[in-house]
Amino acid sequence: MKSLPKSITKHIIPALLTHSKAEFLKEIDIVKNAHPKAKLVQLDVADGKFVHNTTWGTPAQVKSLHLTVPFEAHLMVQNPEKAYKYWVHAGASRIVFHCETTKDPIFLAKAIKTAGVKPIMAIDPETKIDLEPLILKEIYGILVMGVHPGFGGQTMVAGTMKRIRTLRKKYPRLRIGVDGGVNIKNAQKLLDAGATELVMGSAYFKL
Ligand code: DX5
């Protein structure tokens, strides 16, 4: 992380997309010992149905680790209405759900808020973004996917930067995260385009 200016590192949310407890613990350790320390980490949760990958860690397994770094659960799952409760119980301070996995994002965002945590709505690259006022009222922010979700180490799809610029112009006060294909080469450009949070997986662990 030392190689990056603070003006960038303060926006970075490290993302853990792991397949074993050993890998998970190794990456959490890297995050905990990084300088500067990330204020939040994203735990990718893949169910093998919404995305063609599965990740290590049930909510109970993660809870049993008594993580000292605050985390959000990125639910790449078919049934977020059911899953979010377990991740709140596991200690997640934010829940990222995909708009593509729910018929009623307003209801889901409200339910996550009622559970006492912050709802973030993730939007896949091919999903048209049309944020109606009611959803804007309920969500804490959006997460613009720079890749088709499920795997780390992918290249950011063309048009992501433009998409963020358009969103920032349309929604000047909206918290806009970007996730997938974020690296030290595009980080500043993404911030300049209007992103406020940079979810970084493989590039973070290569720093
Ligand atoms: C995409 C995941 C991302 C991923 C980011 O499937 O939601 O959080 O782990 O990984 P990188 O930064 O390597 O694209």
Side-chain angles (χ1 to χ4, degrees), residues 170-204:
K170 198 168 172 190
Y171 308 106
R173 287 197 308 281
L174 179 63
R175 179 182 295 271
I176 301 175
V178 55
D179 180 2
V182 178
N183 55 48
I184 54 174
K185 287 199 198 74
N186 60 25
Q188 187 57 58
K189 289 189 202 98
L190 289 163
L191 294 172
D192 296 344
T196 38
E197 294 181 338
L198 304 174
V199 176
M200 197 186 267
S202 41
Y204 178 87

Short mmCIF file of all heavy atoms in Angstrom, two decimals, residues 170-204:
data_model
loop_
_atom_site.label_atom_id
_atom_site.label_comp_id
_atom_site.label_asym_id
_atom_site.label_seq_id
_atom_site.Cartn_x
_atom_site.Cartn_y
_atom_site.Cartn_z
N LYS A 170 -25.39 12.67 -12.82
CA LYS A 170 -26.84 12.54 -12.60
C LYS A 170 -27.18 12.56 -11.10
O LYS A 170 -28.21 13.07 -10.69
CB LYS A 170 -27.32 11.22 -13.24
CG LYS A 170 -28.80 11.16 -13.46
CD LYS A 170 -29.16 9.98 -14.34
CE LYS A 170 -30.69 9.80 -14.39
NZ LYS A 170 -31.06 8.52 -15.05
N TYR A 171 -26.26 11.95 -10.29
CA TYR A 171 -26.53 11.85 -8.85
C TYR A 171 -25.34 12.43 -8.08
O TYR A 171 -24.46 11.69 -7.62
CB TYR A 171 -26.74 10.39 -8.45
CG TYR A 171 -27.78 9.66 -9.28
CD1 TYR A 171 -27.38 8.72 -10.24
CD2 TYR A 171 -29.14 9.92 -9.13
CE1 TYR A 171 -28.32 8.06 -11.01
CE2 TYR A 171 -30.09 9.25 -9.90
CZ TYR A 171 -29.67 8.32 -10.84
OH TYR A 171 -30.61 7.66 -11.61
N PRO A 172 -25.26 13.77 -7.97
CA PRO A 172 -24.05 14.41 -7.42
C PRO A 172 -23.69 13.98 -6.00
O PRO A 172 -22.52 13.99 -5.64
CB PRO A 172 -24.38 15.90 -7.45
CG PRO A 172 -25.65 16.06 -8.18
CD PRO A 172 -26.30 14.75 -8.35
N ARG A 173 -24.69 13.55 -5.22
CA ARG A 173 -24.38 13.25 -3.81
C ARG A 173 -24.33 11.75 -3.51
O ARG A 173 -24.09 11.33 -2.39
CB ARG A 173 -25.43 13.92 -2.90
CG ARG A 173 -25.24 15.45 -2.82
CD ARG A 173 -25.98 16.05 -1.62
NE ARG A 173 -27.38 15.63 -1.63
CZ ARG A 173 -28.31 16.20 -2.42
NH1 ARG A 173 -27.97 17.18 -3.22
NH2 ARG A 173 -29.56 15.79 -2.40
N LEU A 174 -24.51 10.95 -4.53
CA LEU A 174 -24.61 9.49 -4.31
C LEU A 174 -23.24 8.87 -4.03
O LEU A 174 -22.25 9.21 -4.69
CB LEU A 174 -25.23 8.84 -5.55
CG LEU A 174 -25.40 7.33 -5.54
CD1 LEU A 174 -26.37 6.90 -4.44
CD2 LEU A 174 -25.88 6.85 -6.90
N ARG A 175 -23.18 7.99 -3.04
CA ARG A 175 -21.96 7.20 -2.78
C ARG A 175 -21.85 6.16 -3.91
O ARG A 175 -22.76 5.34 -4.07
CB ARG A 175 -22.10 6.52 -1.43
CG ARG A 175 -20.94 5.65 -1.01
CD ARG A 175 -21.29 5.00 0.34
NE ARG A 175 -21.40 6.03 1.35
CZ ARG A 175 -20.37 6.46 2.07
NH1 ARG A 175 -19.17 5.95 1.89
NH2 ARG A 175 -20.50 7.41 2.98
N ILE A 176 -20.76 6.23 -4.67
CA ILE A 176 -20.59 5.33 -5.82
C ILE A 176 -19.31 4.53 -5.64
O ILE A 176 -18.21 5.07 -5.69
CB ILE A 176 -20.53 6.12 -7.15
CG1 ILE A 176 -21.80 6.96 -7.37
CG2 ILE A 176 -20.30 5.17 -8.34
CD1 ILE A 176 -21.75 7.87 -8.60
N GLY A 177 -19.48 3.25 -5.44
CA GLY A 177 -18.31 2.36 -5.36
C GLY A 177 -18.12 1.70 -6.72
O GLY A 177 -19.06 1.64 -7.53
N VAL A 178 -16.91 1.22 -6.94
CA VAL A 178 -16.66 0.44 -8.17
C VAL A 178 -15.88 -0.80 -7.76
O VAL A 178 -15.02 -0.74 -6.86
CB VAL A 178 -15.91 1.26 -9.25
CG1 VAL A 178 -14.63 1.86 -8.75
CG2 VAL A 178 -15.67 0.45 -10.50
N ASP A 179 -16.25 -1.91 -8.38
CA ASP A 179 -15.74 -3.20 -7.91
C ASP A 179 -15.49 -4.11 -9.11
O ASP A 179 -16.38 -4.37 -9.90
CB ASP A 179 -16.81 -3.83 -6.99
CG ASP A 179 -16.38 -5.17 -6.45
OD1 ASP A 179 -15.26 -5.61 -6.75
OD2 ASP A 179 -17.19 -5.79 -5.73
N GLY A 180 -14.20 -4.53 -9.21
CA GLY A 180 -13.87 -5.45 -10.30
C GLY A 180 -12.94 -4.78 -11.28
O GLY A 180 -13.34 -3.84 -11.95
N GLY A 181 -11.69 -5.25 -11.34
CA GLY A 181 -10.73 -4.69 -12.29
C GLY A 181 -10.10 -3.39 -11.84
O GLY A 181 -9.47 -2.69 -12.62
N VAL A 182 -10.30 -3.05 -10.54
CA VAL A 182 -9.68 -1.82 -10.02
C VAL A 182 -8.21 -2.10 -9.72
O VAL A 182 -7.87 -3.14 -9.14
CB VAL A 182 -10.39 -1.33 -8.74
CG1 VAL A 182 -9.72 -0.08 -8.18
CG2 VAL A 182 -11.88 -1.06 -9.00
N ASN A 183 -7.32 -1.17 -10.17
CA ASN A 183 -5.89 -1.39 -9.89
C ASN A 183 -5.19 -0.05 -9.75
O ASN A 183 -5.84 1.01 -9.85
CB ASN A 183 -5.26 -2.22 -11.02
CG ASN A 183 -5.48 -1.58 -12.39
OD1 ASN A 183 -5.25 -0.38 -12.57
ND2 ASN A 183 -5.98 -2.37 -13.35
N ILE A 184 -3.85 -0.09 -9.55
CA ILE A 184 -3.17 1.19 -9.28
C ILE A 184 -3.13 2.07 -10.54
O ILE A 184 -2.95 3.27 -10.45
CB ILE A 184 -1.75 0.99 -8.68
CG1 ILE A 184 -0.88 0.08 -9.52
CG2 ILE A 184 -1.85 0.44 -7.28
CD1 ILE A 184 0.57 0.04 -8.96
N LYS A 185 -3.32 1.46 -11.69
CA LYS A 185 -3.29 2.28 -12.93
C LYS A 185 -4.60 3.07 -13.11
O LYS A 185 -4.59 4.21 -13.59
CB LYS A 185 -3.07 1.39 -14.16
CG LYS A 185 -1.65 0.84 -14.27
CD LYS A 185 -1.39 0.38 -15.73
CE LYS A 185 -0.19 -0.54 -15.78
NZ LYS A 185 -0.56 -1.88 -15.22
N ASN A 186 -5.73 2.47 -12.77
CA ASN A 186 -7.01 3.17 -13.04
C ASN A 186 -7.62 3.80 -11.79
O ASN A 186 -8.64 4.49 -11.90
CB ASN A 186 -8.01 2.22 -13.71
CG ASN A 186 -8.33 1.00 -12.84
OD1 ASN A 186 -8.22 1.06 -11.64
ND2 ASN A 186 -8.71 -0.09 -13.50
N ALA A 187 -7.00 3.60 -10.63
CA ALA A 187 -7.63 4.09 -9.38
C ALA A 187 -7.90 5.59 -9.41
O ALA A 187 -9.04 6.03 -9.17
CB ALA A 187 -6.74 3.73 -8.19
N GLN A 188 -6.89 6.38 -9.74
CA GLN A 188 -7.08 7.84 -9.72
C GLN A 188 -8.10 8.27 -10.77
O GLN A 188 -8.95 9.13 -10.52
CB GLN A 188 -5.74 8.57 -9.94
CG GLN A 188 -5.83 10.10 -9.75
CD GLN A 188 -6.35 10.50 -8.37
OE1 GLN A 188 -5.77 10.13 -7.34
NE2 GLN A 188 -7.47 11.22 -8.32
N LYS A 189 -8.05 7.62 -11.94
CA LYS A 189 -9.01 7.98 -13.02
C LYS A 189 -10.45 7.69 -12.57
O LYS A 189 -11.38 8.43 -12.84
CB LYS A 189 -8.71 7.18 -14.29
CG LYS A 189 -7.42 7.60 -15.00
CD LYS A 189 -7.30 6.91 -16.37
CE LYS A 189 -5.86 6.87 -16.85
NZ LYS A 189 -5.22 5.56 -16.57
N LEU A 190 -10.62 6.59 -11.83
CA LEU A 190 -11.95 6.23 -11.33
C LEU A 190 -12.43 7.28 -10.31
O LEU A 190 -13.60 7.70 -10.35
CB LEU A 190 -11.93 4.84 -10.71
CG LEU A 190 -11.78 3.67 -11.70
CD1 LEU A 190 -11.35 2.40 -10.98
CD2 LEU A 190 -13.09 3.44 -12.46
N LEU A 191 -11.52 7.72 -9.47
CA LEU A 191 -11.88 8.77 -8.49
C LEU A 191 -12.22 10.07 -9.23
O LEU A 191 -13.22 10.73 -8.95
CB LEU A 191 -10.74 9.00 -7.50
CG LEU A 191 -10.43 7.83 -6.56
CD1 LEU A 191 -9.16 8.12 -5.75
CD2 LEU A 191 -11.60 7.53 -5.63
N ASP A 192 -11.41 10.40 -10.22
CA ASP A 192 -11.66 11.63 -11.01
C ASP A 192 -13.01 11.54 -11.74
O ASP A 192 -13.70 12.55 -11.93
CB ASP A 192 -10.54 11.86 -12.04
CG ASP A 192 -9.19 12.11 -11.37
OD1 ASP A 192 -9.18 12.40 -10.15
OD2 ASP A 192 -8.14 11.97 -12.05
N ALA A 193 -13.39 10.31 -12.12
CA ALA A 193 -14.68 10.14 -12.84
C ALA A 193 -15.86 10.26 -11.87
O ALA A 193 -17.01 10.45 -12.31
CB ALA A 193 -14.71 8.77 -13.51
N GLY A 194 -15.56 10.16 -10.54
CA GLY A 194 -16.65 10.35 -9.57
C GLY A 194 -16.86 9.19 -8.61
O GLY A 194 -17.76 9.24 -7.77
N ALA A 195 -16.03 8.16 -8.71
CA ALA A 195 -16.17 7.05 -7.74
C ALA A 195 -15.74 7.53 -6.36
O ALA A 195 -14.86 8.37 -6.22
CB ALA A 195 -15.30 5.88 -8.19
N THR A 196 -16.40 6.99 -5.33
CA THR A 196 -16.01 7.36 -3.96
C THR A 196 -15.40 6.17 -3.22
O THR A 196 -14.68 6.35 -2.24
CB THR A 196 -17.27 7.81 -3.16
OG1 THR A 196 -18.37 6.99 -3.53
CG2 THR A 196 -17.59 9.25 -3.42
N GLU A 197 -15.67 4.94 -3.67
CA GLU A 197 -15.08 3.77 -3.02
C GLU A 197 -14.51 2.85 -4.09
O GLU A 197 -15.17 2.60 -5.11
CB GLU A 197 -16.14 3.04 -2.18
CG GLU A 197 -16.62 3.86 -0.99
CD GLU A 197 -17.64 3.13 -0.13
OE1 GLU A 197 -18.29 2.20 -0.63
OE2 GLU A 197 -17.81 3.51 1.03
N LEU A 198 -13.30 2.38 -3.85
CA LEU A 198 -12.62 1.50 -4.81
C LEU A 198 -12.45 0.13 -4.18
O LEU A 198 -11.62 -0.04 -3.28
CB LEU A 198 -11.24 2.10 -5.16
CG LEU A 198 -11.21 3.53 -5.71
CD1 LEU A 198 -9.75 3.99 -5.84
CD2 LEU A 198 -11.93 3.62 -7.04
N VAL A 199 -13.25 -0.83 -4.63
CA VAL A 199 -13.12 -2.19 -4.10
C VAL A 199 -12.02 -2.88 -4.92
O VAL A 199 -12.12 -3.00 -6.14
CB VAL A 199 -14.44 -2.97 -4.21
CG1 VAL A 199 -14.25 -4.41 -3.75
CG2 VAL A 199 -15.53 -2.28 -3.39
N MET A 200 -10.98 -3.28 -4.21
CA MET A 200 -9.80 -3.81 -4.91
C MET A 200 -9.46 -5.21 -4.38
O MET A 200 -9.26 -5.38 -3.18
CB MET A 200 -8.61 -2.86 -4.67
CG MET A 200 -7.46 -3.02 -5.60
SD MET A 200 -6.05 -2.00 -5.13
CE MET A 200 -6.34 -0.53 -6.07
N GLY A 201 -9.45 -6.17 -5.25
CA GLY A 201 -9.14 -7.54 -4.83
C GLY A 201 -7.71 -7.90 -5.19
O GLY A 201 -6.77 -7.55 -4.48
N SER A 202 -7.54 -8.54 -6.34
CA SER A 202 -6.20 -9.07 -6.68
C SER A 202 -5.14 -7.98 -6.71
O SER A 202 -4.02 -8.20 -6.22
CB SER A 202 -6.25 -9.80 -8.01
OG SER A 202 -7.04 -9.09 -8.91
N ALA A 203 -5.48 -6.81 -7.21
CA ALA A 203 -4.45 -5.74 -7.28
C ALA A 203 -3.99 -5.33 -5.88
O ALA A 203 -2.83 -4.99 -5.67
CB ALA A 203 -5.01 -4.53 -8.03
N TYR A 204 -4.90 -5.41 -4.91
CA TYR A 204 -4.55 -5.01 -3.53
C TYR A 204 -3.51 -5.96 -2.98
O TYR A 204 -2.51 -5.57 -2.38
CB TYR A 204 -5.81 -5.04 -2.66
CG TYR A 204 -5.54 -4.70 -1.20
CD1 TYR A 204 -5.54 -3.37 -0.77
CD2 TYR A 204 -5.26 -5.70 -0.27
CE1 TYR A 204 -5.30 -3.04 0.55
CE2 TYR A 204 -5.00 -5.39 1.05
CZ TYR A 204 -5.02 -4.07 1.47
OH TYR A 204 -4.75 -3.76 2.78
#
